[in-house]
Amino acid sequence: MYFAALLARTEDGWEASDMELDDVESLSDLIDLARSAAVDDDTVVALIEQEDAWFGVVRVDGEEDPRYYVSNASNASRSSYGSMLTDELLGKDEEDDELDELDLDGTEDGEDEVTASYADEDTEEEEDEDADDGVRAGAEPVPSGPLGDPRLLDDLGVSHKQLMTLDGEALSEIAESLGATEVLEAVR
């Protein structure tokens, strides 16, 4: 179960809105949603959490590049919305997917590969176990623990040290530090 909200900074404080994740199919959709919630191109903070497994923060300041933070990259990479963030932070993009799909082994289409794979049952079981570790074949392993820019909320009252130690009620604690507890709880 996910909870997601947008906090838009205004002259009078913060406005919160429930973020409908059903409409978010890509990171670009999330950024567009955040920008559309902005008041006069001011800061918008998107908060996402998945049942105490991980939380993510996306900060959008006008047309500047967004900044990201994920509390537990390994857990986040196993979820659809978390993997959007971890893929961005690890530099994996759609162009990489296209290259991964190309047949670059030196054979022409339709030709059999010359090399064969020989594996005993123990090796196959180990490979199956590795597949369950959240590591995609050919991909860099996702680090366990925080990933991204822990300083993205420093100027808003949430220090990087505080952000990196949050768990459980992380979004509530972030909202409290921002002075947005009431507006966040209203959309929760």
Side-chain angles (χ1 to χ4, degrees), residues 33-102:
L33 193 61
R35 285 196 170 114
S36 69
V39 177
D40 297 326
D41 281 340
D42 210 338
T43 300
V44 176
V45 177
L47 302 171
I48 305 171
E49 77 178 348
Q50 183 183 17
E51 296 181 347
D52 298 333
W54 65 273
F55 71 90
V57 180
V58 178
R59 179 176 175 165
V60 178
D61 293 300
E63 292 300 317
E64 292 181 27
D65 288 341
R67 295 163 59 192
Y68 312 96
Y69 176 80
V70 176
S71 66
N72 187 317
S74 180
N75 286 348
S77 70
R78 295 182 189 117
S79 74
S80 57
Y81 300 109
S83 66
M84 287 190 303
L85 295 171
T86 57
D87 286 353
E88 175 70 19
L89 289 164
L90 292 171
K92 180 170 175 35
D93 57 20
E94 292 174 18
E95 291 176 18
D96 292 342
D97 292 340
E98 290 173 13
L99 288 176
D100 290 344
E101 292 173 9
L102 292 176

Side-chain angles (χ1 to χ4, degrees), residues 71-173:
S71 66
N72 187 317
S74 180
N75 286 348
S77 70
R78 295 182 189 117
S79 74
S80 57
Y81 300 109
S83 66
M84 287 190 303
L85 295 171
T86 57
D87 286 353
E88 175 70 19
L89 289 164
L90 292 171
K92 180 170 175 35
D93 57 20
E94 292 174 18
E95 291 176 18
D96 292 342
D97 292 340
E98 290 173 13
L99 288 176
D100 290 344
E101 292 173 9
L102 292 176
D103 185 15
L104 300 176
D105 65 357
T107 62
E108 296 295 324
D109 287 340
E111 289 183 22
D112 292 333
E113 288 188 41
V114 177
T115 52
S117 174
Y118 298 97
D120 59 34
E121 290 179 20
D122 291 337
T123 306
E124 289 176 15
E125 287 176 19
E126 288 174 15
E127 288 174 4
D128 289 343
E129 288 173 15
D130 289 345
D132 293 338
D133 290 341
V135 177
R136 294 180 295 258
E140 295 277 330
V142 177
S144 61
L147 182 65
D149 180 2
R151 296 182 182 272
L152 80 165
L153 300 176
D154 275 356
D155 65 321
L156 299 176
V158 183
S159 74
H160 62 283
K161 291 178 183 177
Q162 179 186 3
L163 189 64
M164 293 179 71
T165 59
L166 293 176
D167 59 5
E169 296 294 318
L171 299 190
S172 296
E173 292 182 42

Side-chain angles (χ1 to χ4, degrees), residues 4 6 18-34 46 48 80-82 84-85:
L6 293 170
D18 189 14
M19 186 168 33
E20 192 61 47
L21 289 177
D22 293 341
D23 299 332
V24 175
E25 294 180 11
S26 69
L27 194 53
S28 296
D29 292 343
L30 177 65
I31 302 308
D32 290 344
L33 193 61
I48 305 171
S80 57
Y81 300 109
M84 287 190 303
L85 295 171

